[in-house]
Amino acid sequence: MNLVSATPASIDRAAALLRDGAVVAFPTETVYGLGANALDAVAVARIFEIKARPTFDPLIVHVIDDAMLGRVAAEVPDLARALMARFWPGPLTLVLRKAPEVPELVTSGLPTVAVRMPAHPLARALIERAGVPLAAPSANPFGYLSPTRAEHVAHMLGERVDLILDGGATEYGVESTIVLLEPVPALLRHGAIPVEEIEAVAGPLARELPDEAKPLAPGRLPQHYAPRTPIRLTEPSEVPIAERADAGLLAFRAPAPGYRATRVLSERGDLREAAANLFRHLHELDAIGVTRIDAQPVPLEGVGIAIMDRLRRATHA
Ligand code: AMP
Ligand code: MG
């Protein structure tokens, strides 16, 4: 069994494996990551293989301090420094000019590298003991629901991963927010930190890049984060009772009658709680064997914007 609870001993073992080119799943504050030594192209290639991820989709590199940042980024503009001072460690990814040591596979051949400094103590301990930056996408098959618990990883990727460190449920439940600094400050992905908090520090962020900079924003696929069961966004009140019997409901605050299975994101209507529950509830509804999942929209504010981004991509036909 490759699923172990995270203890100082298992973290040491995981760190040794990573130094040897292995692939280890570990918790971060966003979702579980599938990590390998970011400076070892062969190890990174295994991440793509395990996830069946297309190589045009670059990875995020996780660091724990300035020295490690300096190994992967060639340059850190002032605006990036200001954002790091406010949001690192935490769920903000910054796209910076890459250092030569970072393999092309990590960045899909781009001149830039996406970097973040996680806050999760287990992620930090693992990176510290490994002594190398970790390239780590979410620990799920490409395009499928992200994992917010170690069991999700075990269920989806099983023995293909060398080791899965179990550190319990993740805090945010949605991926990091991604910001590009140059040629213009731009939001590349809605995520755990609401964009308005970032704009309070950075000023307005472009939502669309100028045409000549579009290649700098790869991997933003319209279909992503999807369960196997067909899913659509709909208000339950608009679904006739007769069409609910075989379906599952992902509700925001309250169940609706007639559904075969229901999961409520947050009874209190708390969007952070809703985000933390999002993928777990979708994993559960997907496993029940309903014929369809009806997902109720959540308010488009704060982290609700990231939730709706995930749901829209999950429902994209
Ligand atoms: P994830 O799938 O959560 O690991 O996030 C990776 C995403 O980060 C990719 O799909 C890209 O959208 C984005 N990304 C990674 N590296 C870069 C980069 N060098 N430039 C722009 N976006 C990047
Ligand atoms: Mg992912």
Side-chain angles (χ1 to χ4, degrees):
M1 186 59 179
N2 58 351
L3 175 63
V4 297
S5 59
T7 61
S10 64
I11 291 173
D12 272 344
R13 193 173 135 218
L17 283 167
L18 286 166
R19 281 195 302 273
D20 267 355
V23 173
V24 171
F26 63 97
T28 78
E29 66 273 30
T30 57
V31 303
Y32 272 71
L34 188 64
N37 177 355
L39 306 177
D40 176 346
V42 176
V44 170
R46 285 203 54 218
I47 295 179
F48 284 91
E49 201 178 284
I50 292 169
K51 282 187 61 104
R53 180 175 172 116
T55 51
F56 59 73
D57 195 5
L59 303 181
I60 295 172
V61 175
H62 296 65
V63 301
I64 47 158
D65 55 26
D66 228 44
M68 224 178 239
L69 174 65
R71 287 182 74 180
V72 298
E75 218 179 88
V76 182
D78 288 345
L79 180 55
R81 286 276 170 215
L83 289 169
M84 289 170 186
R86 170 73 178 79
F87 296 108
W88 279 15
L92 172 67
T93 296
L94 296 171
V95 176
L96 304 168
R97 202 159 306 166
K98 95 187 236 320
E101 213 190 332
V102 180
E104 304 257 293
L105 182 57
V106 171
T107 64
S108 302
L110 290 169
T112 52
V113 61
V115 193
R116 99 173 176 91
M117 187 182 285
H120 196 296
L122 295 176
R124 297 183 64 81
L126 181 64
I127 299 169
E128 194 200 335
R129 290 190 209 176
V132 288
L134 297 184
S138 51
N140 54 307
F142 183 71
Y144 191 60
L145 299 173
S146 297
T148 57
R149 297 180 167 231
E151 308 86 78
H152 295 158
V153 183
H155 179 66
M156 293 188 286
L157 299 177
E159 300 293 324
R160 279 178 283 167
V161 185
D162 296 311
L163 196 69
I164 303 169
L165 285 178
D166 186 353
T170 62
E171 179 190 346
Y172 287 92
V174 290
E175 293 78 0
S176 60
T177 308
I178 305 182
V179 171
L180 175 87
L181 283 309
E182 288 169 345
V184 286
L187 177 74
L188 296 190
R189 175 171 78 187
H190 285 287
I193 301 181
V195 60
E196 61 263 28
E197 287 184 31
I198 297 170
E199 289 186 320
V201 175
L205 297 175
R207 303 297 202 272
E208 287 296 325
L209 288 177
D211 278 348
E212 64 278 14
K214 288 236 167 89
L216 292 174
R220 302 200 292 169
L221 302 177
Q223 176 158 26
H224 210 80
Y225 311 111
R228 307 216 185 280
T229 311
I231 178 169
R232 63 181 189 182
L233 266 168
T234 182
E235 280 298 342
S237 59
E238 286 164 13
V239 180
I241 295 277
E243 288 174 24
R244 299 182 188 179
D246 287 328
L249 174 65
L250 180 73
F252 177 41
R253 302 188 62 156
Y259 279 97
R260 197 164 121 212
T262 298
R263 295 292 182 278
V264 176
L265 287 174
S266 171
E267 283 178 14
R268 298 181 280 137
D270 177 332
L271 288 166
R272 291 198 53 170
E273 181 180 44
N277 285 328
L278 175 69
F279 285 119
R280 175 167 62 97
H281 285 353
L282 284 171
H283 277 286
E284 288 174 6
L285 288 171
D286 206 19
I288 286 171
V290 290
T291 52
R292 183 188 79 238
I293 298 169
D294 288 346
Q296 182 176 26
V298 305
L300 270 176
E301 59 196 42
V303 76
I305 297 174
I307 296 175
M308 285 301 286
D309 169 78
R310 305 303 183 271
L311 286 175
R312 285 207 185 97
R313 288 178 210 264
T315 57
H316 187 90

